[in-house]
Amino acid sequence: MSTLVDGDGEVEFCDNFSTKACYDALVGPMEVCIYSKFLWKNDIPSKVSFMLWADLNNSLPTRDMLRHKSVEIDSSLCMMCNTVDESADHLFLHCQTTFKVWDHLIKAFHISWSIPGSILELFEASRNNVLTGRYKELWNIIHYALDWIIWDERNKRVFGGRN
C-alpha cells in the first residue's frame, strides 16, 4: 500500500520505504570505506595482505602504475590478456582471463552478482552477499586467494617463471 504525505511530496511504500529516505540516502554523505579492515587478518598470509595494501595505496607495480611513474617498460598491456592497459583493477577483476574465473565462481556459488569496479568495492560488496554459514566464510576468503593467485601468475609471466 502506498500513501502520499501531504505537502512535502513524499510517497511511502509498504510502511518501510519512502522516496524521501531514498533521496536522502542518494544525496547525503557517502560512507567512507576504510580498507584497513580487510588487511592484516590472522587467517590471511602477510604476503597477501601486503600485496593488497600495495594495491589499495596505488603502489602495486602494475604496468599502468610503472608507466605513470615514468619507468621504461616494453608495453603497458596486461600480461594476462595482452589487450588492455594493465591496472590492478583490470588485472584482478576485468581482464578476460580473470573474469572467466570470477564467472565460474559466481556460478558455482549460485549467486547473482556483478563484478565491482575496483578491488576495494569487491571487498565491500563481499560483506553484503546473501550466502550464509560456511559458504559465506569461504566466499569471503576466496577474494584473497584469487587475488594472490592472479598476482603470482602475472609475475611468473613477467619474470619468465621466476619470482
Side-chain angles (χ1 to χ4, degrees):
M1 169 174 253
S2 66
T3 60
L4 179 61
V5 179
D6 190 31
D8 56 2
E10 181 177 352
V11 179
E12 294 180 357
F13 296 93
C14 302
D15 297 327
N16 59 353
F17 175 84
S18 73
T19 54
K20 182 179 182 331
C22 184
Y23 177 79
D24 290 344
L26 290 172
V27 298
M30 296 290 291
E31 179 182 334
V32 176
C33 179
I34 302 171
Y35 65 81
S36 61
K37 61 187 164 194
F38 303 115
L39 301 176
W40 321 119
K41 295 178 174 271
N42 290 335
D43 54 349
I44 303 299
S46 57
K47 65 184 180 182
V48 176
S49 289
F50 181 77
M51 181 220 27
L52 289 170
W53 175 86
D55 173 38
L56 296 171
N57 281 288
N58 297 318
S59 299
L60 198 62
T62 61
R63 290 177 155 206
D64 191 47
M65 191 279 293
L66 293 172
R67 185 176 45 113
H68 176 74
K69 299 277 185 181
S70 300
V71 174
E72 191 174 317
I73 55 175
D74 293 341
S75 170
S76 62
L77 295 179
C78 173
M79 289 297 298
M80 303 294 275
C81 69
N82 206 35
T83 59
V84 178
D85 283 351
E86 182 188 78
S87 68
D89 291 334
H90 167 77
L91 180 66
F92 292 121
L93 298 171
H94 306 289
C95 174
Q96 60 192 10
T97 303
T98 305
F99 186 81
K100 289 176 186 175
V101 177
W102 279 115
D103 187 52
H104 176 78
L105 289 171
I106 289 166
K107 288 175 182 171
F109 276 82
H110 303 288
I111 57 176
S112 177
W113 192 60
S114 60
I115 299 294
S118 71
I119 296 293
L120 186 54
E121 290 173 3
L122 171 74
F123 282 94
E124 280 291 329
S126 70
R127 296 182 336 175
N128 300 320
N129 66 46
V130 297
L131 298 170
T132 59
R134 189 73 176 140
Y135 289 110
K136 186 173 186 110
E137 291 175 33
L138 184 58
W139 180 255
N140 288 337
I141 204 160
I142 280 175
H143 300 61
Y144 295 93
L146 185 55
D147 287 349
W148 179 257
I149 291 167
I150 292 166
W151 186 246
D152 187 54
E153 178 61 30
R154 180 253 185 215
N155 286 335
K156 285 178 183 174
R157 293 176 186 210
V158 169
F159 300 112
R162 307 175 310 273
N163 58 352

